[in-house]
Structures are given as C-alpha cells and as structure tokens.
C-alpha cells in the first residue's frame, strides 16, 4: 500500500515539476519575444545604418577574426548574467528582464543587418547571428529556466556545465567561420 502511495506521489511531483518548468519557460519566452518585437520596431525608428555600413565595409576588406576576449565576452555575457542574477533574491523578476533585453538587442541587430539590398541582408544576418541564434540562445534559455527552477545550487551549475560545449562551439564558429564567410560573401558581391 505504501509503495503505491509513493509511486502516486512521485508522479504528482513530476507533473508539478513539469508544470512549473512550462510556466517558467513561458514567462521567459514571452519576455524574450516582447523584447524582440520591440527591438524590431525601434530599429526602424533608430536606424544603425552608418554603423552597419562601416561593419560591412570592414568585412569586405579583410576577414580578420575578432579577438578571443571580445568573442568570449560577446557569447558568455548573457549566460553569465543569468547565472549571477539567479543567485539574487529577486531572480524571478531580474531574469525575465534580462531575457527581455536579450531579445531586444538580438532582434535589433538582426533587423539592422537585414536592411541590406534584397535577400542579401537576410543572408548577412544569418551569417553574423547564426551561431548565436542556433547555439547560444537555446543555452541561454536552458540556463534561465534552470536558475528559476533551481532548488539547490547543484542543479543550475550542472546545466551550466552541460551548456558550456555549445557556448564554446559558438565562440569557435564566430572566430573561425563567420568572418571568413562574411568576407567571401561581401567580396563576391562587390566583384559581381
């Protein structure tokens, strides 16, 4: 009889954990999405045209990889911020705000690059932000969810260790592949 009760309570506990995880993921997704929408809307009002033009002109001239420290900062700053904010008493408020800002800045940058002529702007944005969107943003969501659900500090740290390879791969791609691919694309467009 006691065994059946333990199994029943274990299933109920798992259902409650799943419900909590879904709720936290929904809150973080909505914050990220609202930030992304606002970033798209404001990019049209606050055009970054000269900055993007300078960036693309520099990429046409050379395919120099960014410094390691700059790239580490670019990729690891958001996951590190979510880990630090997760330790604070107001993590339930500050972590969703961080997700809002991440969505805002990411969408602002993507839309700014998409202002290029025709489909090439979309291709530029895909090259520049591809590794970030495919690797770093999902790791950011995993860490944010783990931080808000973490009942002990072992659980979020375990997720941080699991996300580390994706973030390191993102740094490697941003340093090795993205500058060369962008240089090749821009040079081909300039010549053709």
């Amino acid at each position: 009889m006691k065994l059946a009760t333990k199994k029943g309570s274990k299933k109920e506990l798992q259902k409650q954990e799943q419900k909590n995880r879904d709720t936290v993921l929904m809150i973080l997704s909505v914050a990220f999405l609202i930030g992304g929408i606002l970033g798209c809307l404001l990019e049209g009002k606050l055009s970054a045209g000269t900055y993007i033009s300078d960036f693309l002109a520099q990429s046409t001239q050379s395919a120099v990889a960014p410094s390691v420290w700059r790239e580490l900062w670019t990729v690891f700053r958001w996951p590190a911020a979510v880990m630090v904010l997760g330790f604070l008493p107001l993590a339930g408020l500050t972590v969703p705000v961080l997700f809002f800002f991440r969505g805002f800045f990411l969408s602002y940058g993507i839309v700014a690059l998409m202002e290029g002529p025709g489909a090439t702007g979309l291709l530029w944005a895909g090259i520049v932000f591809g590794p970030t969107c495919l690797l770093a943003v999902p790791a950011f969501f995993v860490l944010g969810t783990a931080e808000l659900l973490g009942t002990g500090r072992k659980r979020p740290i375990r997720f941080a260790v699991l996300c580390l390879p994706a973030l390191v791969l993102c740094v490697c791609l941003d340093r090795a592949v993205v500058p060369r691919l962008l240089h090749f694309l821009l040079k081909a467009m300039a010549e053709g």
Side-chain angles (χ1 to χ4, degrees):
M1 184 73 162
K2 288 184 179 181
L3 185 61
T5 306
K6 284 184 180 180
K7 285 183 181 180
S9 65
K10 189 174 181 179
K11 283 186 179 184
E12 289 175 17
L13 184 63
Q14 286 176 342
K15 284 183 182 181
Q16 185 61 35
E17 285 179 2
Q18 179 66 34
K19 186 178 177 182
N20 290 346
R21 187 173 32 250
D22 291 346
T23 303
V24 166
L25 194 55
M26 180 63 79
I27 290 169
L28 296 178
S29 297
V30 167
F32 189 84
L33 183 62
I34 290 172
I37 290 169
L38 190 60
C40 289
L41 294 175
L42 283 181
E43 199 290 322
K45 305 282 187 220
L46 309 168
S47 182
T50 57
Y51 175 75
I52 299 300
S53 299
D54 293 344
F55 169 74
L56 293 174
Q58 184 182 12
S59 295
T60 304
Q61 295 170 0
S62 65
V64 176
S67 73
V68 174
W69 296 112
R70 180 187 160 274
E71 202 55 47
L72 286 171
W73 169 251
T74 301
V75 172
F76 280 91
R77 66 182 169 196
W78 296 101
V82 83
M83 294 294 291
V84 169
L85 291 175
F87 283 108
L88 299 177
L90 295 175
L93 178 65
T94 57
V95 171
V97 169
L98 184 68
F99 272 74
F100 169 83
F101 282 117
R102 180 64 173 135
F104 176 83
F105 290 125
L106 184 61
S107 69
Y108 188 90
I110 290 171
V111 171
L113 275 175
M114 286 176 56
E115 289 181 344
T120 58
L122 183 61
L123 186 59
W124 293 341
I127 291 170
V128 172
F129 292 105
T132 298
C133 291
L134 294 175
L135 299 170
V137 171
F140 183 60
F141 270 89
V142 167
L143 291 172
T145 304
E147 281 296 328
L148 291 180
L149 289 175
T151 54
R153 286 299 148 204
K154 288 185 179 181
R155 186 173 175 182
I157 291 172
R158 181 179 51 147
F159 281 108
V161 170
L162 290 175
C163 290
L164 192 59
L167 296 172
V168 169
L169 181 60
C170 185
V171 168
C172 293
L173 289 174
D174 278 348
R175 282 192 41 80
V177 177
V178 170
R180 287 179 181 85
L181 192 56
L182 190 61
H183 173 71
F184 175 75
L185 174 70
L186 292 172
K187 193 171 182 180
M189 286 179 54
E191 292 173 356

